[in-house]
């Protein structure tokens, strides 16, 4: 590939993301800086790669609970990725996810809701309606709707997500279990004690 190939930047970005997932933040930040320096030397249009790098950094900032910084970084990155790829692309989905989380964690729930709705539509277009990635987006929107007090809508979204999980993942899948626990909690808060108890009896042995 050569030391200044854009493809090398993509590979390093994947490695940096893996380092963050494994908890090695120092190595991830070192790789982020290496990628940025590499892009400065490449004589090609690297706008979309820089945007992808910004999205990766924004997710890292979310893990560090620096939500305002994450939002400031990801907003222009999302605009650039949309310009480059349109509204349906894995990079756009990742940027939408980061932005939605950053806005929600700052307490701006009403502003976050359309972002989560757009994320649901993007995930559905990318993966189809029987994919667990789509189910995750449904469950995340359901959690936000519950926070907004829109419990009936939240329950419908949780149930739609759970229906997908039941078809495509194991019973002890962490996202499926989280969805079931959230549904049980929703039933409990709505005083549907029998339904909540039934769900908890099913879920607790698998937690």
């Amino acid at each position: 590939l050569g030391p200044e190939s854009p493809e090398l930047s993509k590979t390093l970005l994947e490695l940096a993301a893996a380092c963050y997932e494994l908890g090695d933040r120092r190595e991830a930040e070192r790789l982020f800086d290496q990628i940025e320096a590499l892009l400065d030397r490449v004589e090609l249009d690297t706008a979309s790669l820089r945007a992808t790098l910004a999205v990766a950094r924004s997710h890292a900032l979310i893990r560090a609970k620096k939500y305002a910084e994450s939002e400031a970084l990801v907003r222009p990155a999302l605009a650039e990725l949309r310009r480059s790829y349109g509204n349906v692309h894995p990079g756009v989905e990742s940027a939408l996810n980061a932005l939605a989380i950053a806005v929600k964690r700052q307490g701006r729930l009403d502003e976050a809701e359309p972002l989560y709705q757009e994320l649901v539509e993007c995930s559905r277009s990318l993966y189809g309606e029987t994919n667990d990635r789509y189910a995750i987006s449904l469950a995340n929107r359901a959690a936000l709707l519950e926070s907004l007090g829109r419990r009936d809508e939240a329950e419908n979204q949780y149930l739609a997500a759970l229906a997908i999980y039941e078809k495509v993942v194991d019973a002890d899948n962490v996202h499926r279990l989280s969805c079931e626990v959230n549904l049980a909690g929703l039933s409990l808060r709505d005083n549907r004690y029998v339904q909540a108890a039934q769900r908890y009896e099913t879920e607790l042995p698998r937690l």
Side-chain angles (χ1 to χ4, degrees):
L1 294 177
E4 297 184 2
S5 167
E7 293 302 319
L8 178 60
S9 296
K10 294 178 183 178
T11 302
L12 289 173
L13 191 56
E14 292 173 1
L15 180 59
C19 287
Y20 247 105
E21 290 300 323
L22 293 170
D24 191 349
R25 296 186 177 182
R26 180 176 297 180
E27 178 63 13
E29 289 294 344
R30 187 190 69 79
L31 288 168
F32 285 148
D33 290 339
Q34 183 179 344
I35 295 165
E36 198 155 8
L38 189 154
L39 293 176
D40 287 339
R41 298 194 301 269
V42 173
E43 296 180 358
L44 296 171
D45 182 4
T46 59
S48 61
L49 276 174
R50 289 182 185 278
T52 302
L53 174 60
V55 172
R57 283 190 181 276
S58 72
H59 280 288
L61 288 167
I62 286 170
R63 295 187 187 96
K65 299 183 179 181
K66 298 179 179 179
Y67 306 122
E69 292 179 48
S70 175
E71 179 185 358
L73 192 60
V74 78
R75 278 193 182 277
L78 175 58
E80 175 57 38
L81 289 167
R82 281 174 166 158
R83 185 189 70 80
S84 298
Y85 303 117
N87 290 327
V88 180
H89 184 271
V92 172
E93 181 203 29
S94 182
L96 274 171
N97 188 41
L99 181 57
I101 293 171
V103 170
K104 177 184 177 182
R105 296 285 171 83
Q106 292 177 80
R108 289 150 42 208
L109 303 185
D110 287 328
E111 187 179 340
E113 198 279 327
L115 294 172
Y116 276 103
Q117 177 59 42
E118 187 175 358
L119 182 59
V120 165
E121 297 301 327
C122 184
S123 297
R124 176 163 52 190
S125 297
L126 281 171
Y127 310 113
E129 295 185 355
T130 57
N131 187 283
D132 61 323
R133 294 283 293 271
Y134 175 55
I136 290 170
S137 69
L138 286 171
N140 287 340
R141 181 168 184 260
L144 178 71
L145 290 170
E146 185 177 359
S147 297
L148 286 167
R150 294 159 59 180
R151 292 184 177 179
D152 289 343
E153 292 177 75
E155 183 171 28
N156 288 336
Q157 295 273 272
Y158 279 134
L159 288 170
L162 184 58
I164 298 170
Y165 287 136
E166 288 174 342
K167 294 177 182 178
V168 300
V169 300
D170 295 332
D172 58 354
N173 176 273
V174 63
H175 295 295
R176 175 174 172 175
L177 286 171
S178 176
C179 188
E180 292 176 332
V181 168
N182 287 337
L183 269 169
L186 192 61
S187 297
L188 187 62
R189 285 185 286 277
D190 283 344
N191 300 322
R192 289 175 286 158
Y193 300 118
V194 173
Q195 187 175 358
Q198 290 173 339
R199 288 196 177 277
Y200 280 128
E201 286 175 2
T202 302
E203 296 144 13
L204 287 176
R206 293 185 275 127
L207 293 175

